[in-house]
Amino acid sequence: MMMNKKTVEDIDVTGKKVLVRCDFNVPLDSDGKITDENRIIGALPTIKYLLSKNAKVILCSHMGRPKGEFNMKYTLKPVSDRLGEILGKKVVLAKDVVGEDAKKCISEMNDGDIVMLENVRFHAEEEKNDPAFSKALAELAQIYVNDAFGTAHRAHASTAGVADYLPAVCGYLIQKEIAVMGKALADPERPFVAILGGAKISGKIDVIENLIDKVDTLIIGGGMAYTFIKAMGGKIGASLCEDEKLDLANETLKKAKAKGVNLLLPETTVVADKFDADAQSKTVPTSEIPDGWMGMDIGAETVVAFSEAIKSAKTVVWNGPMGVFEFPRFAEGTKKVAEAVANCGGVTIIGGGDSAAAVEQLGFADKMTHISTGGGASLEFLEGKILPGIDCLQDK
């Protein structure tokens, strides 16, 4: 497993130049103002620890998709400004990544100073994990710290390549991700309940495969449920369905049965006559959705059944909403499931992406044990895959 990695505390950083890969890919509004600073807040424990040891802190991150060109629409300036305000000290933003200005800014650093490199994706070599670019990044520092869980599933120069040239350890954010999620998968307190939602089975099939070996109860909601219902011979009207995945759904149902896993699907569904926030809606049995109507959310009876299964759980992993969460009228199922998870009293892990957004929006964030900071990365972690950005770090 990836759990036995060295952290910033396992290496002497005092007075050293430390390159820290953060995930500062924050959302901005049209005026370039940050609309959600969770990722900046997430990076603070590692940055503050390094400052407390008088390290020279060199931060790097990507922002958006500048396609390998210097495009100031994707500058990290809003992040360096905001981070400076939060820390109450100057964060110098270099004008480039591995060029003259970055080298100059770093050569002028005193212990306890912070320099932020410009967007690493201004270089096409970053996403290609180009060795020469990785080496140029590594030459700026003496130690490498990866604290960007959100990009740990990508083998890029700043997330993996640079570890070939420097002693590499993880920061507190990655440490927490692998500790909490790793324990849930390797040695969960039981009953262990996994809740999977979202539109498609295809994005989650490996997660289902991996979890079915580990959980006591698997709850399936959202658009992906209708493929299962159809596989079982139900009528799903105009609901979302991946016909090419029907065999796979049947396999999963068989596997769950063979392993004694309690697999719950929605028995009732809120359907609408069109995909619209103001569509006509009614609740029907999930296997009897009328022609032309489509499933938009789990029905009230299903909410009760799902909540009942969650109530006694000692470990819960949740990834993906229960319905068309972006339309308030069809957000009820997701809301109620979030509430059940928040109140269950066990270890509760929200696997990034839409589920994290839902939990934040509904005000349940502080009731959860752990909200993963990486959408794709947390999915791949739940699939049991090795994440290159963690794999490259030194073992204890």
Side-chain angles (χ1 to χ4, degrees):
M1 275 301 273
M2 297 182 283
M3 289 155 69
N4 201 23
K5 293 296 180 184
K6 281 189 183 173
T7 76
V8 277
E9 292 180 15
D10 296 317
I11 196 165
D12 179 21
V13 296
T14 309
K16 300 262 178 60
K17 289 184 286 191
V18 183
L19 178 69
V20 189
R21 175 54 156 103
C22 299
D23 184 1
F24 289 144
N25 186 22
V26 293
L28 304 172
D29 65 16
S30 51
D31 302 330
K33 290 263 181 299
I34 298 168
T35 56
D36 175 355
E37 48 189 51
N38 271 341
R39 289 183 163 173
I40 298 177
I41 306 299
L44 292 176
T46 298
I47 295 171
K48 286 181 172 165
Y49 173 80
L50 293 170
L51 293 175
S52 77
K53 296 287 179 198
N54 281 323
K56 299 181 174 82
V57 182
I58 304 160
L59 303 173
C60 73
S61 175
H62 75 286
M63 163 91 86
R65 298 178 187 274
K67 308 233 164 48
E69 289 164 10
F70 272 74
N71 176 347
M72 282 318 172
K73 184 180 150 190
Y74 299 106
T75 176
L76 283 169
K77 188 171 185 339
V79 179
S80 61
D81 289 350
R82 183 66 190 121
L83 184 63
E85 285 169 14
I86 294 171
L87 290 170
K89 66 179 290 159
K90 185 157 179 52
V91 175
V92 175
L93 180 67
K95 294 187 177 72
D96 52 29
V97 186
V98 290
E100 289 316 307
D101 196 61
K103 288 178 188 151
K104 178 174 176 291
C105 293
I106 291 167
S107 70
E108 292 167 1
M109 290 178 89
N110 295 314
D111 292 355
D113 282 355
I114 309 179
V115 166
M116 189 179 293
L117 304 176
E118 225 349 324
N119 189 338
V120 286
R121 286 195 188 165
F122 284 175
H123 289 265
E125 298 91 333
E126 156 70 1
E127 294 188 67
K128 293 185 183 129
N129 194 7
D130 176 80
F133 182 67
S134 300
K135 191 163 187 255
L137 271 173
E139 280 168 358
L140 302 172
Q142 294 156 290
I143 292 168
Y144 168 67
V145 175
N146 191 0
D147 210 23
F149 184 74
T151 50
H153 58 312
R154 304 269 179 250
H156 292 167
S158 69
T159 60
V162 41
D164 290 342
Y165 305 97
L166 289 176
V169 299
C170 67
Y172 291 119
L173 192 64
I174 280 192
Q175 183 190 16
K176 183 176 181 223
E177 293 274 3
I178 44 187
V180 180
M181 294 215 287
K183 178 172 182 345
L185 294 178
D187 180 24
E189 280 197 54
R190 299 190 176 277
F192 178 12
V193 177
I195 309 162
L196 295 177
K200 295 186 166 172
I201 295 186
S202 45
K204 305 263 162 88
I205 192 60
D206 295 337
V207 181
I208 295 173
E209 294 272 300
N210 192 34
L211 290 178
I212 230 156
D213 286 335
K214 300 178 166 54
V215 299
D216 301 297
T217 299
L218 179 59
I219 295 176
I220 294 180
M224 60 194 274
Y226 306 114
T227 303
F228 282 93
I229 300 293
K230 185 169 176 178
M232 292 161 73
K235 295 188 169 56
I236 58 166
S239 304
L240 211 72
C241 182
E242 294 173 275
D243 286 326
E244 71 287 1
K245 295 283 184 268
L246 291 171
D247 292 348
L248 205 70
N250 269 321
E251 279 300 294
T252 306
L253 292 164
K254 277 200 201 100
K255 212 177 268 179
K257 199 165 183 178
K259 292 196 183 294
V261 171
N262 181 20
L263 192 142
L264 298 180
L265 286 158
E267 294 193 7
T268 56
T269 293
V270 179
V271 295
D273 57 353
K274 55 178 187 286
F275 189 81
D276 194 303
D278 304 315
Q280 283 195 56
S281 64
K282 58 184 180 182
T283 300
V284 300
T286 311
S287 53
E288 299 168 28
I289 298 175
D291 289 349
W293 291 70
M294 60 185 76
M296 299 289 271
D297 194 11
I298 55 176
E301 296 81 356
T302 298
V303 166
V304 173
F306 286 6
S307 301
E308 200 53 39
I310 294 165
K311 202 162 73 178
S312 57
K314 289 278 180 283
T315 306
V316 180
V317 171
W318 178 18
N319 188 292
M322 296 290 101
V324 187
F325 172 73
E326 52 277 25
F327 297 158
R329 279 179 55 208
F330 303 111
E332 204 49 34
T334 303
K335 211 184 223 164
K336 288 285 199 285
V337 166
E339 206 167 316
V341 174
N343 294 328
C344 81
V347 172
T348 51
I349 298 168
I350 312 300
D354 293 339
S355 326
V359 167
E360 297 273 350
Q361 230 170 303
L362 298 167
F364 292 114
D366 55 352
K367 289 252 191 93
M368 304 299 177
T369 310
H370 181 65
I371 299 180
S372 179
T373 51
S378 57
L379 264 185
E380 292 196 16
F381 197 91
L382 294 176
E383 287 167 14
K385 283 192 181 147
I386 299 287
L387 307 184
I390 295 171
D391 193 41
C392 67
L393 307 175
Q394 293 182 346
D395 292 319
K396 285 197 188 207

